[in-house]
Amino acid sequence: MGPIRRAAVTLFGLALAAGLLPATGPSPAHAAGLTSFSPTGEAGLVREVRAVFSEPMTRLGDSGAPDPFLIDCPVKGDSRWVDNRTWVHVFRTPPRAGTRCGFSLRPELRTLGGEALAGRSRLEFSTGGPVVARSMPWEGSRIDEDQSFLLVLTGPVEPDSVTRKAWCRVAGMGERVPVRLLPPAERDLLARRFAPDEPDVLALACGRALPPQARVDLVWDAGIATPSGLATRRPQSLGFEVRSAFSARLSCPRENANAPCLPLGDVRIEFSAPVPRAQAAAVRLMLGQTERKPRLEGGADAPTVEAVVFPGPWPESASVNISLPPGLRDADQRPLTNASAFPMLSRIGTYPPLAKFAAAPFGIIELDEAPAMPLALRKVERSLTLREAQPGRGLVRDLRLQDDASIIAWYSKVLRLHESVIEPALARELTGQAPAAAPAPARPGVRAPAPA
């Protein structure tokens, strides 16, 4: 090949690589079609359908452009072009469970450049089986032993599939507890109260009484279907806790769990569930031959109460007998599980040892370097010691008054000396001198000026 021919071939190849000349054979460009379409397959909550094309399908701003799909769906919606490649269909109400929708490309559809579309021409989605949108009582609530559940569903349900697939899981039980559907009248009554505007509701209960304080899961299992045949694929579980049994217990302040009630405290009867007010008011306490009525906790207008109180103080080493009205039931008509424990006999103990400041607020009265502070003592006098006591550093004196005159005299001293700075007056008191006129009260902790 001569040099001129070789140069011609080279120039031809460069021109072909630069796209200046048409290449022979099929074009490598992709055919026009859908880039994305959603949703497809099974979807839960669907509000809109969105399709994106690879090529411009309409002119920008052309609001009158036709829809690219033939729509086969029982739920109505409104369509529009967002831009020249994106189309959306917005449902007026979200499709319920059990809904199937199909979207077929129109046979005559072309791109803005006149090109036919390749690829899939029909796309579908379904909303699957019915799931629980919410429940009454709410998940996590305390429930009754024979609790009824109102379930708000995402669509209609086939009742037979519920009795076959839904069940209760109870902690401590090694078997599934089946559910039972409530009659339509009971379901409608619950629906009018808790979900009046919901189209798809179901009322059910566990097939047996639930043990107190047990963990319970209501399992909405896979396979629960709509009338159209679409069924759930994944289980759904709602957790609850059963309330405690109805019981009553005595409560009072004690030195420890095994000690009797302290004489200074109140005696309470506490119920584990609300009790009608009239029944709670019939609780009685006998102290010897004296009958006491309780004080009811809560507002005066409250129809139920959860505790009654017998205020203290009480005589030392006394016995009290507490009785409940016969046939006591809580507000849900549950009988008392520990009714055999009443009438309940309880013992009042003795006053505990006490060492406390005699009055509050109190002050420290200083005389030279020795502070003085009055204390009230009870049952600690014999064992009371002043550790590391040194002359001039501390002294504990025991004063026992035997007659009314002495008591009155010391009481008058307390009134004169309380919360005042009275070094001169205190010195006269301690030396037995006649009291001088009381000085004007001073702020605690501020020394009064020495007499001239």
Side-chain angles (χ1 to χ4, degrees):
M1 181 182 298
I4 297 177
R5 187 176 178 185
R6 284 197 299 272
V9 172
T10 302
L11 291 173
F12 179 84
L14 291 174
L16 180 61
L20 300 178
L21 298 175
T24 59
S27 171
H30 295 290
L34 282 169
T35 300
S36 66
F37 183 94
S38 65
T40 56
E42 184 176 309
L45 180 62
V46 179
R47 298 190 183 277
E48 69 174 25
V49 174
R50 180 176 292 262
V52 180
F53 295 86
S54 62
E55 302 295 330
M57 303 298 295
T58 183
R59 291 181 176 84
L60 285 174
D62 185 2
S63 59
D67 292 335
F69 293 96
L70 297 173
I71 302 173
D72 178 19
C73 187
V75 183
K76 301 299 181 182
D78 302 298
S79 305
R80 62 187 176 91
W81 287 94
V82 176
D83 54 42
N84 61 356
R85 297 187 185 196
T86 306
W87 174 87
V88 295
H89 180 79
V90 181
F91 291 104
R92 296 172 187 172
T93 58
R96 307 290 292 169
T99 303
R100 288 187 175 92
C101 293
F103 293 77
S104 302
L105 287 171
R106 294 180 179 274
E108 70 278 10
L109 185 65
R110 297 290 185 272
T111 67
L112 189 60
E115 184 179 355
L117 302 182
R120 293 179 61 184
S121 61
R122 180 174 174 81
L123 299 107
E124 298 177 343
F125 74 87
S126 71
T127 52
V131 298
V132 179
R134 61 183 176 92
S135 67
M136 184 59 66
W138 302 103
E139 183 178 8
S141 302
R142 288 185 177 273
I143 60 175
D144 298 344
E145 299 84 345
D146 55 350
Q147 182 68 52
S148 298
F149 300 93
L150 181 71
L151 306 181
V152 177
L153 307 177
T154 58
V157 67
E158 181 60 43
D160 289 343
S161 68
V162 175
T163 55
R164 286 186 289 104
K165 296 294 184 178
W167 53 285
C168 293
R169 178 170 51 226
V170 182
M173 287 189 181
E175 58 178 324
R176 296 186 175 191
V177 177
V179 300
R180 58 180 179 85
L181 300 182
L182 270 61
E186 294 184 35
R187 177 202 61 202
D188 295 342
L189 181 63
L190 292 173
R192 284 195 298 270
R193 182 177 179 184
F194 298 111
D197 301 324
E198 297 293 342
D200 300 302
V201 294
L202 183 75
L204 52 78
C206 298
R208 67 175 64 171
L210 303 172
Q213 297 180 296
R215 165 76 184 191
V216 176
D217 293 318
L218 178 60
V219 181
W220 190 260
D221 219 337
I224 297 177
T226 64
S228 64
L230 290 174
T232 55
R233 297 186 179 183
R234 292 182 297 273
Q236 186 179 3
S237 181
L238 305 176
F240 305 91
E241 184 178 349
V242 184
R243 63 181 176 177
S244 59
F246 176 47
S247 61
R249 73 182 189 95
L250 183 144
S251 172
C252 64
R254 309 170 188 266
E255 289 186 321
N256 58 67
N258 298 318
C261 298
L262 292 175
L264 291 173
D266 298 339
V267 174
R268 298 166 50 90
I269 298 297
E270 298 176 345
F271 303 104
S272 63
V275 173
R277 193 175 189 86
Q279 293 195 52
V283 179
R284 292 292 182 267
L285 180 147
M286 295 296 297
L287 177 63
Q289 300 300 316
T290 304
E291 181 181 87
R292 292 194 182 185
K293 296 182 180 181
R295 184 184 74 233
L296 307 185
E297 286 198 342
D301 298 331
T304 60
V305 297
E306 296 188 24
V308 298
V309 182
F310 296 95
W314 306 93
E316 287 188 289
S317 304
S319 294
V320 295
N321 195 356
I322 301 168
S323 61
L324 304 180
L328 177 65
R329 293 176 177 266
D330 68 1
D332 293 330
Q333 294 301 305
R334 294 186 301 166
L336 196 68
T337 56
N338 63 336
S340 60
F342 293 88
M344 179 180 290
L345 185 65
S346 184
R347 188 166 57 89
I348 304 297
T350 59
Y351 288 103
L354 174 70
K356 62 175 289 187
F357 298 114
F362 61 88
I364 297 177
I365 305 171
E366 296 184 359
L367 175 65
D368 298 328
E369 297 181 356
M373 184 183 303
L375 296 175
L377 305 177
R378 181 176 66 213
K379 298 183 180 179
V380 296
E381 291 86 342
R382 293 184 179 180
S383 60
L384 181 66
T385 59
L386 185 64
R387 296 184 179 181
E388 300 181 2
Q390 298 177 8
R393 296 290 300 275
L395 175 65
V396 176
R397 295 177 55 189
D398 188 6
L399 176 65
R400 296 179 181 272
L401 304 178
Q402 304 297 329
D403 56 85
D404 294 344
S406 300
I407 295 175
I408 295 172
W410 272 101
Y411 182 67
S412 63
K413 290 180 182 181
V414 172
L415 293 180
R416 289 199 309 273
L417 303 182
H418 180 57
E419 289 190 341
S420 299
V421 177
I422 38 72
E423 281 186 354
L426 181 59
R428 283 189 291 270
E429 294 286 349
L430 295 178
T431 57
Q433 300 177 16
R443 295 192 306 273
V446 179
R447 291 178 179 270

